[in-house]
């Protein structure tokens, strides 16, 4: 899995997820919103938004098929579907900062 993250504005990011299966590449495009409040609530602003998005996609891919990931979402909505997400983020931040 390869992620390409492009900031479209301060809070809006384009994400291209590329996967390879038996010599064939697949790409899916996503639009992710991360507000400063989301960043602070999840990470106490100890990492930047791009790294939080990278972690979030790895978390999502580990928990559901790529086809189940919404094409447009706010990062805060992940905890609606996966209540363990905020704790996983906090643990990741503690281990990596």
């Amino acid at each position: 899995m390869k992620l390409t993250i492009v900031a479209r504005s301060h809070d809006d990011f384009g994400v291209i997820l590329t996967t390879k299966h038996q010599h064939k590449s697949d790409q899916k495009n996503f639009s992710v919103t991360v507000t400063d409040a989301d960043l602070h609530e999840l990470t106490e602003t100890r990492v930047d938004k791009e790294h939080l998005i990278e972690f979030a996609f790895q978390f999502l891919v580990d928990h559901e098929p790529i086809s189940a990931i919404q094409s447009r979402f706010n990062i805060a909505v992940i905890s609606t579907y996966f209540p363990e997400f905020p704790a996983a983020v906090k643990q990741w931040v503690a281990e990596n900062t």
Side-chain angles (χ1 to χ4, degrees):
M1 174 180 88
K2 179 185 173 205
L3 281 181
T4 304
I5 301 170
V6 178
R8 295 182 183 149
S9 71
H10 184 69
D11 294 342
D12 185 39
F13 297 82
V15 179
I16 301 168
L17 175 64
T18 305
T19 55
K20 290 189 180 186
H21 302 283
Q22 298 177 349
H23 308 293
K24 179 184 167 208
S25 290
D26 261 345
Q27 283 190 344
K28 282 199 72 167
N29 294 311
F30 300 90
S31 181
V32 181
T33 303
V34 182
T35 65
D36 291 343
D38 296 331
L39 183 68
H40 184 74
E41 183 176 329
L42 288 167
T43 71
E44 297 176 352
T45 317
R46 292 172 57 192
V47 299
D48 60 29
K49 291 178 180 182
E50 288 86 350
H51 283 103
L52 176 58
I53 291 169
E54 285 179 27
F55 175 82
F57 270 87
Q58 187 60 59
F59 177 91
L60 289 170
V61 168
D62 288 346
H63 287 80
E64 65 182 354
I66 293 170
S67 60
I69 301 172
Q70 297 175 11
S71 62
R72 180 177 213 63
F73 62 93
N74 180 293
I75 203 149
V77 80
I78 296 172
S79 61
T80 302
Y81 299 98
F82 300 100
E84 68 274 23
F85 179 68
V89 172
K90 289 182 187 336
Q91 180 179 351
W92 167 73
V93 169
E95 293 171 356
N96 292 284
T97 59

